[in-house]
Amino acid sequence: MKVKYSVAKNKIRLIIIVVTIISITSCDLDDLGYEQYQTGIREYDKQILHLLRVLDENSYGVEYRFVVVQEIAKILKIAELPLRKLMFLSSYVESNPRDPYNSYHLFTVAEGYREMGSLPVAGHYYERILRNYRDAVVQGKSIHLAALQEL
């Protein structure tokens, strides 16, 4: 009788451990915003998850983070999910206010809205870049100058 009780007790402990691991893992994915950026394409989703985890580690320099952010945006664009791309970039900027490349990320958002024909929204982002963010030079181009030219 005591052996059956011990086995049942061990099964309950195992179930508790498994449930705890699942809930910790799913919270981690929720914290990363993974579900918002799923594409429905398995290979892209794996890449996005990996890149979000790299961003979450926060142990890399700003240049490396810039490349990671741009890679996620590129995957979302290739997957033909432009609104998710814009949402990702604007969310990233809000979550990382000190990133020196935020003006570039927001310029990409503005360009996305411009390409979709939402000129007033694009204009809002161009103005926001000029008012609130330092200029950045990416690929030899000033983000502030490009934003001014678009206005």
Side-chain angles (χ1 to χ4, degrees), residues 28-43:
D28 185 39
L29 294 178
D30 289 344
D31 291 345
L32 295 174
Y34 174 64
E35 286 190 18
Q36 297 177 64
Y37 308 120
Q38 286 183 315
T39 65
I41 301 167
R42 187 175 184 184
E43 187 58 35

Side-chain angles (χ1 to χ4, degrees), residues 1 11 29-30 37 39 47 49 59-60 71 74 85 87 141 147:
M1 188 82 145
K11 284 183 181 180
L29 294 178
D30 289 344
Y37 308 120
T39 65
Q47 290 174 14
L49 178 59
S59 60
Y60 299 96
E71 189 62 26
K74 182 176 108 181
K85 172 186 148 185
M87 182 178 67
K141 297 177 185 174

Side-chain angles (χ1 to χ4, degrees), residues 5 21 23 33 71 95 104 106-107 109 119 131-132 149:
Y5 175 74
I21 290 171
S23 64
E71 189 62 26
S95 299
Y104 182 82
L106 289 179
F107 186 81
V109 171
L119 298 180
R131 287 190 183 131
N132 301 324
Q149 290 171 337

Side-chain angles (χ1 to χ4, degrees), residues 98-116:
R98 294 185 181 182
D99 189 312
Y101 291 103
N102 280 344
S103 61
Y104 182 82
H105 300 315
L106 289 179
F107 186 81
T108 303
V109 171
E111 288 292 288
Y113 281 113
R114 185 183 58 79
E115 290 169 4
M116 288 189 288

Side-chain angles (χ1 to χ4, degrees), residues 71-149:
E71 189 62 26
I72 293 170
K74 182 176 108 181
I75 293 168
L76 292 170
K77 182 178 181 176
I78 291 169
E80 298 179 5
L81 297 168
L83 289 175
R84 286 190 191 177
K85 172 186 148 185
L86 302 180
M87 182 178 67
F88 166 71
L89 290 170
S90 56
S91 295
Y92 176 81
V93 168
E94 294 302 317
S95 299
N96 299 277
R98 294 185 181 182
D99 189 312
Y101 291 103
N102 280 344
S103 61
Y104 182 82
H105 300 315
L106 289 179
F107 186 81
T108 303
V109 171
E111 288 292 288
Y113 281 113
R114 185 183 58 79
E115 290 169 4
M116 288 189 288
S118 297
L119 298 180
V121 177
H124 163 77
Y125 278 98
Y126 293 130
E127 289 177 11
R128 183 176 166 192
I129 291 164
L130 294 169
R131 287 190 183 131
N132 301 324
Y133 295 91
R134 289 184 175 185
D135 193 15
V137 177
V138 178
Q139 298 173 346
K141 297 177 185 174
S142 162
I143 300 303
H144 277 196
L145 180 59
L148 281 170
Q149 290 171 337

